[in-house]
Amino acid sequence: MDGVAVRAVATKRVWAAALSAAWLLGLVASLASVVRYKTSPGAEGPTPARWPEASTLPHSPGRNTLVLFLHPECPSSRASLAEFNWLMNDALVRETTDGVVVFAELIQPPDPHAPFSSWARAAEVPNTVRRLDVDGAEAARFGALTGGHAALYDGDGALRYSGGLTNSRGHQGDNVGRRSVLAVVTGSGRAAPHRPVYGCALHDPTDATEEPP
Amino acid sequence: MRRDATTQRVFDGALARLHAQTSRMFFWLLLVQWLAAVAAVLVLSPRTWAGNASAVHVHVKLALVGGGLTTLVPLVLLRLQPAWWLTRHVVAVAQLAWSGMLIHLFGGRIETHFHIFGSLAFIAFYRDWRALVTATAVVATDHLVRGLVYPESVYGIANPEWWRFLEHAAWISFEGVVLVLGARYALREMWQMADRSVALARANEAVERQVDERTAELAQTAERYRSLIENTNAIPFEYDLATCRMTYVAPQGLRSLGNDEAVLRSTDFFWGLVAPVDRDRVAQLLTRALRGEDPPSGHFDLRLERSDGTTLDLRLFLSPYVPGQRLRGIALDVTHQKKLEAELSQAQKLESVGRLASGVAHEINTPVQFVSDSVHFVQDAAVDLFALVDKLRAVRQAVRDGQAANDAVLAADRAEEASDLEYLRENVPRALARSIDGLGRVATIVRSMKEFAHPDSTEMVDLDLNRALESTLTIARNEYKYVADVVTDFGPLPPLRCYPGEINQALLNVIVNAAHAIADVVAGTERRGTITVKTRAIDGSVEVRIADTGTGIPPEARGRLFDPFFTTKPVGRGTGQGLPIVRSVVVDRHGGTVDFTSEVGRGTEFVLRLPLEHAAQEAA
């Protein structure tokens, strides 16, 4: 190989090395943007400290009621519903707590037979009822603006926990919110009264905080 | 261990091929992972929602843009620089980034960590410990950073123990160490293979060099052989019996025949040249070869006729039969030799005639002598008889004239008395008979001489062998008549197809030898020997036995009996050509055999067998 060819190869490799370095930075930036997106919480309204009288949702006196608001189409709803299901499958929780999953009403109702349908999955959760939130009235009563918002009221109607059941957007697995609900119900362990909510905006499409780009 | 540049080059080549091969594998792996990720997000989270409004989910954008960024850069490098060290590191980073994303997407499920182990194993295919270190560093960094910032995305739980990172790093390091050791072991094997392949290449080089040398030597030998073969009078040839074509004739052969190679392969190249007189013999030869029989031992003579009318005598020495229906051998141009042989044969014949001339002259002289005496006697008798006739005519005239005839009668009586008429009446017919007999004997001798000395025929003709023997005995009579008696025992023989002049010559040579052998024994004595000549027809052959009661052949001379110019006779009596000619005529020219039995002091018997096969073929 003559000198010109050697220099050409060397130049090409310098460019390739520079490109690789830039690529590495881009890779880190992409991962960072994912983390940022996943850990950005949704909006919340004030959750009433007492069970709203005007609510039409079932609440049995003497029993805890865990209400979960979901957007029926949002992919993050699957993670929140999965955590809700995990809690409701706990024997102690099921013994003392009733579940209510409230789906936001959409103009175009989702296909209940579609794969991964949250509406269909919610029907399989023990000790739980499904409700369609017409015009978002219940969400407004409970101050729920983002899908995945859960509120736990005890048998006296007092709010014991408000917030998400996942630690980030669409992320299943052990998290503080789930543990807090469990701690409240079982009376053991540390319980945080509030955690951020991760999910899709339930009603207001113009809210910029719902879905960052 | 220090290795030479060749081994290094072979090793580097093998390693580069390995890297390129592994790179091709990673090309497809990364591509499939990316496409799978895009497909997964399109199925699981295609859109994000805010009430009734929806938009493309950020996951989709991330899969396309982030996944594309993660994948395309290594793909380009894998395609353009598959064996470059940086490519391996970029691939290591990209592959482990995919592991990180997978773990993250599955919420840190511990099972998804197996993707890391699989990815490291794939990277180990490069057998580059540095790439493994990079991959391990990416995993460790990802676990460390995300463990601090977003622990549930990597460990599946929100508040892992502080040492969880170390635990994961330890497992990854464990695998990394195993893989590095494996890579080192594999590299050592590659070095060994390079050593072996260089040793093999060198051995091959040496063998090829030897082959080249041998090939050159072989070419030289072939050239020497070709030069030797094509510049001698020997003409190698090969004839294909199946197609009746000459497949090879050495160039000097073509020159001798006046043909070029273009006509060599024509079917009538050979047959068109064979002289008609030899075609039967050649056909027999080829038939034998077609049957897979070995050709006749010794040589095979044949005559070819060129297109210009001249002839070419060839002597073929044929190789033993070779499979594949090929007839091979060497031909010698013996035209000149044949001419010399013919001249020699004629000279020997003339020498025989010359040598026999005095004996023959004597044989002729005896009858001529007594014919002459008888004619003279008849002449004298005629004079006396005519005188008597005159006297008798005078008596008749006197009686016719009426004269006294007493005187005339007395004169006639005296003339009759003088002529001894009774004697003449008895002896004149005898004299005439002797003359006729003598003239007959002369005629026989002359005819025998004529038959014997007749120029050789170029074609075989039918011969009465018994008569030929009689003629030969006649002209040789003077050789044996003083020392031996001849006893003949001729059996009935069919006509023998042969060259008569040559056969006569052979028989004469044997008879003269017999006479000489007897003469050596009986010289100075009153004794006489015996020459016995027998003929018989036996098993398709004619057998001639000529036995003498001569000296016998000394054992030391028997082996050289047929050698040219070998003789035991004194100078002037033998030339050493007699028996070689007998053998040549009987064996070579007629396909027969010559045998002899001899006992010193008792005599010798020669047995000549001549096949009747020619005659049989003619009859057929």
Side-chain angles (χ1 to χ4, degrees):
Chain A
M1 207 158 46
D2 59 12
V4 176
V6 170
R7 275 197 298 280
V9 170
T11 306
K12 198 158 66 177
R13 290 189 167 181
V14 166
W15 274 106
L19 192 66
S20 300
W23 165 75
L24 198 59
L25 286 175
L27 210 61
V28 172
S30 293
L31 287 172
S33 74
V34 173
V35 171
R36 184 166 150 265
Y37 166 74
K38 300 276 272 186
T39 54
S40 298
E44 292 177 66
T47 308
R50 304 285 306 171
W51 184 266
E53 290 297 328
S55 174
T56 61
L57 300 179
H59 173 58
S60 304
R63 284 182 65 80
N64 302 320
T65 301
L66 180 61
V67 185
L68 175 65
F69 291 90
L70 292 178
H71 188 292
E73 293 280 18
C74 182
S76 303
S77 297
R78 290 197 290 271
S80 298
L81 186 60
E83 295 306 319
F84 180 83
N85 184 45
W86 186 91
L87 283 168
M88 295 307 295
N89 271 289
D90 184 278
L92 203 56
V93 173
R94 202 163 54 228
E95 203 175 285
T96 59
T97 308
D98 297 321
V100 182
V101 182
V102 183
F103 288 90
E105 182 195 37
L106 302 182
I107 297 168
Q108 181 70 41
D111 177 8
H113 302 296
F116 315 118
S117 165
S118 297
W119 176 262
R121 296 285 292 273
E124 297 166 4
V125 180
N127 220 21
T128 297
V129 294
R130 297 176 295 179
R131 287 289 183 273
L132 192 61
D133 187 14
V134 179
D135 296 331
E138 293 296 343
R141 289 185 190 112
F142 284 87
L145 299 176
T146 302
H149 188 149
L152 175 66
Y153 289 87
D154 61 16
D156 296 331
L159 179 66
R160 300 295 300 274
Y161 173 79
S162 172
L165 295 178
T166 61
N167 229 21
S168 58
R169 189 179 283 255
H171 192 102
Q172 262 179 262
D174 181 35
N175 64 84
V176 178
R178 189 176 79 178
R179 264 186 271 151
S180 296
V181 172
L182 195 62
V184 170
V185 173
T186 59
S188 62
R190 293 172 59 188
H194 174 260
R195 291 292 297 166
V197 181
Y198 301 96
C200 300
L202 287 174
H203 297 295
D204 188 357
T206 59
D207 189 345
T209 60
E210 289 266 327
E211 290 288 335
Chain B
M1 181 177 171
R2 188 171 181 78
R3 289 181 169 89
D4 62 20
T6 307
T7 310
Q8 184 71 48
R9 200 164 51 246
V10 170
F11 174 82
D12 290 346
L15 198 58
R17 283 193 296 279
L18 176 76
H19 288 162
Q21 195 179 343
T22 309
S23 289
R24 277 197 296 278
M25 183 185 70
F26 264 114
F27 182 90
W28 292 108
L29 179 65
L30 288 168
L31 193 62
V32 167
Q33 283 178 161
W34 181 33
L35 295 177
V38 171
V41 295
L42 286 175
V43 171
L44 293 173
S45 51
R47 301 186 74 77
T48 186
W49 293 77
N52 285 304
S54 70
V56 173
H57 200 287
V58 71
H59 279 173
V60 176
K61 296 174 187 171
L62 191 72
L64 288 172
V65 178
L69 186 69
T70 309
T71 304
L72 288 176
V73 169
L75 288 191
V76 170
L77 277 173
L78 286 169
R79 184 59 64 171
L80 298 179
Q81 295 287 339
W84 191 23
W85 65 268
L86 186 60
T87 301
R88 298 193 287 280
H89 290 278
V90 169
V91 165
V93 172
Q95 183 61 23
L96 273 302
W98 275 113
S99 294
M101 273 190 261
L102 184 75
I103 293 167
H104 166 77
L105 287 174
F106 281 85
R109 276 173 65 92
I110 203 69
E111 290 83 355
T112 55
H113 284 67
F114 286 110
H115 190 272
I116 294 174
F117 295 109
S119 297
L120 287 172
F122 266 87
I123 289 166
F125 285 165
Y126 276 122
R127 298 181 190 177
D128 181 355
W129 64 269
R130 295 175 188 85
L132 282 168
V133 168
T134 298
T136 307
V138 169
V139 176
T141 306
D142 179 43
H143 275 61
L144 177 64
V145 173
R146 279 203 291 156
L148 292 172
V149 176
Y150 193 9
E152 60 269 37
S153 75
V154 65
Y155 301 125
I157 54 175
N159 54 347
E161 303 83 353
W162 65 268
W163 43 262
R164 185 63 66 93
F165 154 72
L166 290 177
E167 185 185 359
H168 281 240
W171 283 115
I172 299 301
S173 300
F174 174 68
E175 190 196 5
V177 167
V178 170
L179 292 175
V180 165
L181 288 175
R184 282 172 59 86
Y185 183 75
L187 284 175
R188 200 176 307 135
E189 279 191 338
M190 284 179 70
W191 273 117
Q192 287 170 353
M193 284 180 66
D195 286 337
R196 279 199 291 270
S197 100
V198 167
L200 191 64
R202 282 180 180 150
N204 281 344
E205 248 174 57
V207 169
E208 278 175 17
R209 202 163 44 245
Q210 276 187 345
V211 167
D212 288 344
E213 287 170 5
R214 296 286 183 275
T215 306
E217 285 172 10
L218 197 61
Q220 277 183 352
T221 305
E223 177 56 26
R224 193 181 306 131
Y225 174 77
R226 192 190 64 76
S227 172
L228 192 66
I229 289 297
E230 295 184 358
N231 288 294
T232 61
N233 289 327
I235 306 164
F237 68 91
E238 184 183 73
Y239 183 77
D240 189 341
L241 295 163
T243 61
C244 298
R245 291 167 198 268
M246 296 298 296
T247 49
Y248 176 75
V249 173
Q252 69 271 31
L254 291 169
R255 285 197 296 276
S256 296
L257 292 168
N259 287 103
D260 57 28
E261 196 156 359
V263 297
L264 170 68
R265 297 182 194 284
S266 62
T267 47
D268 58 352
F269 173 77
F270 181 62
W271 276 112
L273 289 169
V274 176
V277 66
D278 282 331
R279 283 186 182 163
D280 288 344
R281 292 173 54 246
V282 170
Q284 282 181 17
L285 174 75
L286 297 181
T287 305
R288 283 184 62 169
L290 265 174
R291 286 201 297 259
E293 296 173 16
D294 280 339
S297 58
H299 55 78
F300 182 90
D301 289 354
L302 81 162
R303 172 165 291 179
L304 302 183
E305 290 180 351
R306 298 188 183 95
S307 53
D308 61 4
T310 56
T311 59
L312 179 70
D313 286 302
L314 290 181
R315 176 158 292 169
L316 309 184
F317 295 89
L318 297 167
S319 305
Y321 173 72
V322 289
Q325 298 197 316
R326 299 285 173 98
L327 196 63
R328 292 178 186 155
I330 286 176
L332 289 177
D333 180 354
V334 292
T335 308
H336 186 60
Q337 187 183 339
K338 283 282 179 184
K339 190 178 169 191
L340 289 178
E341 279 178 5
E343 287 173 0
L344 185 64
S345 172
Q346 193 62 23
Q348 213 266 348
K349 194 182 293 176
L350 293 175
E351 184 259 337
S352 301
V353 172
R355 186 154 49 81
L356 295 171
S358 62
V360 169
H362 183 73
E363 288 301 308
I364 291 174
N365 188 54
T366 302
V368 165
Q369 192 66 50
F370 64 72
V371 166
S372 175
D373 291 347
S374 297
V375 169
H376 277 107
F377 170 73
V378 172
Q379 186 184 32
D380 292 344
V383 170
D384 291 343
L385 286 173
F386 283 124
L388 178 60
V389 168
D390 286 344
K391 298 299 181 193
L392 289 174
R393 288 174 75 178
V395 171
R396 187 182 67 186
Q397 188 64 41
V399 170
R400 188 178 290 142
D401 294 343
Q403 295 176 356
N406 289 339
D407 292 341
V409 170
L410 285 172
D413 288 341
R414 281 195 297 274
E416 183 179 346
E417 192 175 345
S419 65
D420 197 0
L421 190 61
E422 289 307 314
Y423 176 77
L424 291 180
R425 188 184 302 279
E426 184 182 345
N427 285 293
V428 166
R430 286 183 183 170
L432 288 174
R434 273 201 306 276
S435 297
I436 290 169
D437 176 55
L439 288 172
R441 285 172 64 182
V442 170
T444 301
I445 293 168
V446 169
R447 190 182 66 245
S448 297
M449 285 293 288
K450 187 182 172 190
E451 283 178 1
F452 182 83
H454 191 275
D456 287 339
S457 167
T458 54
E459 294 187 17
M460 287 188 169
V461 295
D462 288 341
L463 175 71
D464 181 345
L465 191 64
N466 288 340
R467 181 172 165 171
L469 271 166
E470 282 173 352
S471 295
T472 305
L473 286 168
T474 298
I475 63 170
R477 187 164 177 272
N478 203 51
E479 294 286 327
Y480 59 76
K481 70 177 182 182
Y482 298 112
V483 294
D485 299 316
V486 170
V487 177
T488 57
D489 178 8
F490 292 163
L493 299 179
L496 176 68
R497 195 79 173 157
C498 64
Y499 299 102
E502 296 178 11
I503 292 289
N504 285 335
Q505 180 69 51
L507 295 172
L508 176 70
N509 290 356
V510 178
I511 290 166
V512 168
N513 276 355
H516 288 174
I518 291 171
D520 288 345
V521 173
V522 302
T525 69
E526 292 298 318
R527 290 185 291 131
R528 292 175 65 79
T530 304
I531 297 173
T532 308
V533 182
K534 287 183 185 175
T535 60
R536 292 288 186 274
I538 299 173
D539 295 337
S541 296
V542 169
E543 185 181 270
V544 181
R545 289 176 176 266
I546 300 172
D548 64 65
T549 54
T551 53
I553 302 165
E556 63 275 14
R558 289 174 191 172
R560 302 180 59 195
L561 214 54
F562 297 106
D563 290 354
F565 307 108
F566 174 76
T567 182
T568 56
K569 296 175 185 175
V571 174
R573 199 174 177 198
T575 61
Q577 285 291 294
L579 288 176
I581 285 176
V582 171
R583 188 190 177 285
S584 169
V585 167
V586 175
V587 177
D588 300 337
R589 295 285 285 167
H590 293 85
T593 59
V594 178
D595 298 308
F596 68 91
T597 54
S598 184
E599 190 175 342
V600 175
R602 292 185 69 90
T604 302
E605 181 181 49
F606 275 87
V607 182
L608 282 54
R609 288 190 189 87
L610 293 157
L612 285 166
E613 199 172 350
H614 304 295
Q617 281 198 346
E618 290 290 323

